Amino acid sequence: MRIHYECFMCIADQCQRIIEMSTDDLEKRKKAAVFAAKLMSKLKEDSISGIVASEIFSELYKFLGVEDPFKEYKERSNELAKKVLGSIEKNLDVDLKTALKLSIVGNIIDFAVGYSLEKIEGDIIQLINEDLYIDNSKELFDRLKNAKTLLYLTDNCGEIYFDKLFLKKIREEFPDIKVYIAGKEQPAINDATVEDLRNAGLQEVGEIVSTGFGIVGVPFDRISGKFKEIFESADIIIAKGQANFETLNELGDNRIFHLLKAKCRPIARELGVPQGAILCI
Amino acid sequence: MRIHYECFMCIADQCQRIIEMSTDDLEKRKKAAVFAAKLMSKLKEDSISGIVASEIFSELYKFLGVEDPFKEYKERSNELAKKVLGSIEKNLDVDLKTALKLSIVGNIIDFAVGYSLEKIEGDIIQLINEDLYIDNSKELFDRLKNAKTLLYLTDNCGEIYFDKLFLKKIREEFPDIKVYIAGKEQPAINDATVEDLRNAGLQEVGEIVSTGFGIVGVPFDRISGKFKEIFESADIIIAKGQANFETLNELGDNRIFHLLKAKCRPIARELGVPQGAILCI
């Protein structure tokens, strides 16, 4: 997906968030904001939103001298996700389809840090009671029956606990499938790195692999080595969240199933769905 | 006032607003956003926030081929302000001090377009019942007694109707004072131009003059001609709103009284007051 007009402001907004997460020193924040302002000229009309954003964030990290400014935030999301999920699993009989929906709506953990457990759990239960706005899950499950390998592209921390549950259900249903679970090589905002995946025990439900980059989504024209082999040979690819959609949708690759909530206007516009829609496409 | 780190994101946000106000064409919006992203490199650590923002906005106007994208919005604010003020004057006995406070809180009209008249009126009444967080109004009124000339620097449309009422009260109290009312020469977001001031009948309460620029606030190192003379010879200057503060506070000119609501964090931080505080300083 190429940038839409709103991406400029959204990237600026995330730069401010990165700056605030990285330092409390107001002078350093100002210098970083002036530096980020200059980085904005990287935006071109044909830029792929997730890629150009990641390039800007990565230079800003270097300027700020930080490796992972979202570390604490990611830990809080993980803690919250674990608790919410523990409670949901107690109160709800989670089948494969429910686990798929949970893996999509688990994304709201990203906005929920600070809310009460009850509120988040309530919101999630409400969302999984809704139908998917576009629902190709039957086709996904049918094709998983005959698949030998599945590549699962994760998105944010927090959400990865919901992914773990979904992958557990997939393995129960399709025990012969070989599952690869991709995380980022280096930190990129609140995306799960391979280290985050390991810490969350994702190795219990598949083999953790690295995309090779600290870039949100998959920069498919730059991937190499083992990840490239897995990406190219996978029978089915489940791609979570907006950034994987932004970086992969133009491939038109029918092995890829996108599971996402269309959180922002550009994604909703690109897909022709209402903002907020939850989708398996 | 030099930029704070938040100014980067805020200017980007206002660029998006300008783009949305200027065209519905998504391709044109995208081209303009990419152009605005490049303009961000104008930000320097020692930039004066209102000035650099105005320079960016003005280039964006040219790129978009628009003269005054906020025209309709300004008209709506004016209509709303007229109605709210009509109702307030019926229900409230407005003395000089109340009129001063009204001229500050009238600024909230800027955020109120879309709300009901009752809600806005209620909010304004509540605000003028609060004390000013810093209140130099007694000194202002004392000095107006002996002043021969007053220069009144306006801020936004909408609010200018509240300024008109305040200036009417000033003239009743200090009938011998010569009042100049400054508006912008060209449009700059929702600031009042001299034309806007004329349309609102401000000539009934003073002589309308132009700052000479389509720049928010007063770029005091560039002013010339009649406005420069008035600015330099005025006994008292009342400067409304954040942009006049941003562009004039470093002068440390004790003829200037700033009437403003500290709406954003940078201004509140610069002044050492809580965000949202209303001030006569």
Side-chain angles (χ1 to χ4, degrees), chain B residues 210-213 219-230:
Chain B
S210 162
T211 63
F213 296 91
F220 65 87
D221 52 349
R222 300 189 218 169
I223 56 175
S224 64
K226 187 182 173 190
F227 183 70
K228 190 175 183 185
E229 271 171 43
I230 296 168

Side-chain angles (χ1 to χ4, degrees), chain B residues 191-210:
Chain B
D191 272 35
T193 61
V194 283
E195 195 189 337
D196 294 324
L197 294 180
R198 265 183 230 116
N199 292 339
L202 272 286
Q203 63 277 18
E204 297 161 23
V205 287
E207 184 181 331
I208 296 170
V209 291
S210 162

Side-chain angles (χ1 to χ4, degrees), chain B residues 68-76 189 195:
Chain B
D68 188 1
F70 284 73
K71 195 168 191 302
E72 241 183 78
Y73 177 86
K74 293 197 296 186
E75 280 162 12
R76 283 212 309 279
I189 52 171
E195 195 189 337

Side-chain angles (χ1 to χ4, degrees), chain A residues 185-213:
Chain A
E185 180 68 23
Q186 287 100 23
I189 51 173
N190 62 336
D191 273 34
T193 61
V194 284
E195 196 189 337
D196 294 324
L197 294 180
R198 263 183 231 119
N199 292 339
L202 272 286
Q203 63 276 18
E204 297 162 23
V205 287
E207 183 181 334
I208 296 171
V209 292
S210 162
T211 63
F213 295 90

Side-chain angles (χ1 to χ4, degrees), chain B residues 78-90 102 109 116-118 120-122 124 162:
Chain B
N78 280 338
E79 282 310 308
L80 189 61
K82 259 193 283 189
K83 279 185 198 156
V84 170
L85 203 54
S87 173
I88 287 176
E89 281 193 88
K90 259 185 224 154
L102 275 171
I109 292 286
S116 73
L117 271 185
E118 290 71 24
I120 302 163
E121 194 184 330
I124 288 177
F162 292 74

Side-chain angles (χ1 to χ4, degrees), chain A residues 3 5 20 29-30 45, chain B residues 3 5 20 29-30 45:
Chain A
I3 58 159
Y5 81 92
E20 288 173 340
R29 282 187 178 182
K30 179 157 103 170
E45 279 178 58
Chain B
I3 58 160
Y5 81 91
E20 288 174 341
R29 283 187 177 181
K30 178 157 103 170
E45 279 179 58

Side-chain angles (χ1 to χ4, degrees), chain B residues 86-104:
Chain B
S87 173
I88 287 176
E89 281 193 88
K90 259 185 224 154
N91 301 318
L92 197 74
D93 184 31
V94 179
D95 61 10
L96 184 64
K97 175 73 181 281
T98 308
L100 174 142
K101 286 169 101 175
L102 275 171
S103 83
I104 303 173

